[in-house]
Amino acid sequence: MKDIKITRTKQSRLSSLDFNNIPFGKVTSDHMFSAEYVDGEWINYEIKPVENLSLHPANLALHYGQSIFEGMKASITKEGVPMLLRPEMHARRFNASATRMCMPTFPEDDFVEILKLLVGMEKDWIPPVTGSAMYIRPIMFAKDAALGVKPSDTYQFLVLTLPVGPYYSRPVKLFAETQYVRAVEGGVGEAKTAGNYAASLYPTKKAIEKGYDQVLWLDSEEFKYIHEVGTMNIFFVFNEKDVVTPAINGCILKGVTRNTAIHLLGEAGYNVKERDLSILEVVEAYDNGTLTEVFGTGTAALVAHVEEINYKGKRIFLSEDNWGASEYLKAQINGLRDGTIEDTHGWMVPIKEPVLAE
Ligand code: COI
């Protein structure tokens, strides 16, 4: 990997952090990583105190949205070893998003090494509280100052780390959307790109006004097949053992936690299927008593219980008495993260004390 210039903060902000009360996304640790893409090459690898950026008003990302990101988490074991969960899968997804958005890829080995260095350096910011973690936010955006609609020639790659508590502190209520869509086949629904999240804000605001937390996105042709929740992928459990999550179809984010859930639940004896799932099938299963549990999975959300779905006024209520699969999954992931459950998949990447030049 290229040399990294390291500049340490003169005054850490860590002592002002209350680990038991961290609002999601509002507190960054002291340092961030930065690199620039110029003349076809990633250069200027640097770890430095978090600082404001200076952008030209004609910045292409601001105008046309050439911007992608990742979300991942670092945890700390009971013995004090920082751990990353499946960082190479996040690196691959980041580059898949970059390719779709006509941006340069970032070397995947460097991506993982940089995370190890930065998280190792910021390890005291990792909340040692179950359910909390250090959220890692890699982001890449266009840097050219030019208003022509074309791919930028220059880019910036940053990695922020943020101590976070749970994204959802209580079970969520979902509003199945039958007017607006998140993604269409052939679109950018599978990319973790800024515009997907911007497009979700208005329908989500409408759902919140109706008393719901999030939108349950359906397909754009028939408003029939379930896609995802936008902040997370979604799982349905029938008869306590049959687990279904919508199949990847170009419109759904390929969630890393989704993949982890499919593996862990399958290995625990659940019958897990990735397939098209109609909202009408869910309504029918609710009416005949076979829908037992619904939960979301995501890096930020981890495993979020769903307590209600509203589809065209039909209200589906889910009882916490049936949280078998979701509670099992949450306990497994938390156990992997704090090192109390053995990692038989090679998913956890421990971070040894980094040797850093000044
Ligand atoms: C994540 O789960 O990491 C996400 O990116 C979802 C959301 C917080 C934007």
Side-chain angles (χ1 to χ4, degrees), residues 150-225:
K150 67 170 208 36
S152 184
D153 288 326
T154 57
Y155 294 86
Q156 182 146 15
F157 173 66
L158 299 172
V159 185
L160 294 172
T161 55
L162 306 91
V164 294
Y167 194 77
Y168 294 113
S169 47
R170 54 175 184 77
V172 294
K173 297 182 185 182
L174 304 179
F175 185 81
E177 181 56 65
T178 52
Q179 183 181 0
Y180 302 102
V181 294
R182 175 186 173 276
V184 296
E185 274 180 47
V188 294
E190 213 172 84
K192 221 163 160 55
T193 185
N196 281 338
Y197 295 81
S200 75
L201 297 178
Y202 183 70
T204 305
K205 177 174 163 245
K206 293 275 164 205
I208 291 171
E209 282 166 9
K210 295 183 192 101
Y212 291 83
D213 301 294
Q214 273 293 335
V215 171
L216 177 62
W217 297 109
L218 304 177
D219 78 276
S220 62
E221 302 239 316
E222 300 176 80
F223 290 102
K224 180 175 170 194
Y225 293 102

Side-chain angles (χ1 to χ4, degrees), residues 76-81 128 130 337-340:
I76 194 144
T77 66
K78 303 267 181 229
E79 293 75 36
V81 181
T130 304
R337 295 196 323 185
D338 68 17
T340 52

Side-chain angles (χ1 to χ4, degrees), residues 22-320:
I22 319 174
F24 186 92
K26 293 193 176 165
V27 184
T28 61
S29 70
D30 287 324
H31 301 92
M32 65 180 188
F33 174 84
S34 170
E36 287 162 329
Y37 188 80
V38 181
D39 294 335
E41 208 194 341
W42 286 103
I43 56 168
N44 295 342
Y45 282 23
E46 200 178 351
I47 290 179
K48 58 186 175 183
V50 175
E51 63 182 16
N52 288 342
L53 304 172
S54 169
L55 293 180
H56 192 280
N59 171 278
L60 267 183
L62 295 179
H63 291 266
Y64 307 127
Q66 227 191 347
S67 175
I68 59 164
F69 68 94
E70 261 307 306
M72 45 194 300
K73 275 182 176 159
S75 53
I76 194 144
T77 66
K78 303 267 181 229
E79 293 75 36
V81 181
M83 304 281 253
L84 299 172
L85 176 57
R86 312 190 77 183
E88 60 306 308
M89 200 167 173
H90 286 278
R92 279 201 298 278
R93 190 174 66 174
F94 189 69
N95 280 342
S97 299
T99 301
R100 179 63 182 87
M101 301 309 291
C102 212
M103 300 163 87
T105 54
F106 194 84
E108 290 174 16
D109 290 350
D110 285 7
F111 185 100
V112 175
E113 281 312 306
I114 286 159
L115 298 182
K116 285 161 93 175
L117 273 180
L118 183 63
V119 172
M121 193 164 152
E122 303 294 76
K123 74 175 176 21
D124 294 342
W125 286 84
I126 306 176
V129 179
T130 304
S132 297
M134 177 184 269
Y135 188 75
I136 307 171
R137 174 51 66 87
I139 172 172
M140 188 205 295
F141 55 89
K143 211 54 194 304
D144 280 9
L147 289 189
V149 181
K150 67 170 208 36
S152 184
D153 288 326
T154 57
Y155 294 86
Q156 182 146 15
F157 173 66
L158 299 172
V159 185
L160 294 172
T161 55
L162 306 91
V164 294
Y167 194 77
Y168 294 113
S169 47
R170 54 175 184 77
V172 294
K173 297 182 185 182
L174 304 179
F175 185 81
E177 181 56 65
T178 52
Q179 183 181 0
Y180 302 102
V181 294
R182 175 186 173 276
V184 296
E185 274 180 47
V188 294
E190 213 172 84
K192 221 163 160 55
T193 185
N196 281 338
Y197 295 81
S200 75
L201 297 178
Y202 183 70
T204 305
K205 177 174 163 245
K206 293 275 164 205
I208 291 171
E209 282 166 9
K210 295 183 192 101
Y212 291 83
D213 301 294
Q214 273 293 335
V215 171
L216 177 62
W217 297 109
L218 304 177
D219 78 276
S220 62
E221 302 239 316
E222 300 176 80
F223 290 102
K224 180 175 170 194
Y225 293 102
I226 296 169
H227 278 178
E228 62 166 287
V229 176
T231 48
M232 52 192 188
N233 295 116
I234 186 102
F235 286 74
F236 294 79
V237 187
F238 303 93
N239 298 310
E240 294 173 13
K241 278 284 173 199
D242 296 325
V243 180
V244 179
T245 192
I248 296 300
N249 61 4
C251 297
I252 298 174
L253 195 80
K254 286 183 180 163
V256 176
T257 315
R258 172 187 181 278
N259 182 277
T260 300
I262 290 169
H263 279 284
L264 292 178
L265 291 175
E267 286 157 16
Y270 288 90
N271 174 26
V272 187
K273 289 221 159 54
E274 297 174 72
R275 65 167 170 85
D276 291 344
L277 177 64
S278 146
I279 185 75
L280 298 174
E281 182 182 336
V282 171
V283 170
E284 191 185 324
Y286 176 67
D287 285 341
N288 68 27
T290 54
L291 177 70
T292 42
E293 191 180 0
V294 181
F295 59 90
T297 61
T299 299
L302 187 60
V303 179
H305 303 294
V306 173
E307 69 175 13
E308 185 189 332
I309 299 173
N310 184 318
Y311 172 64
K312 293 185 172 175
K314 166 84 177 178
R315 298 178 73 183
I316 295 174
F317 296 102
L318 289 314
S319 161
E320 72 179 85

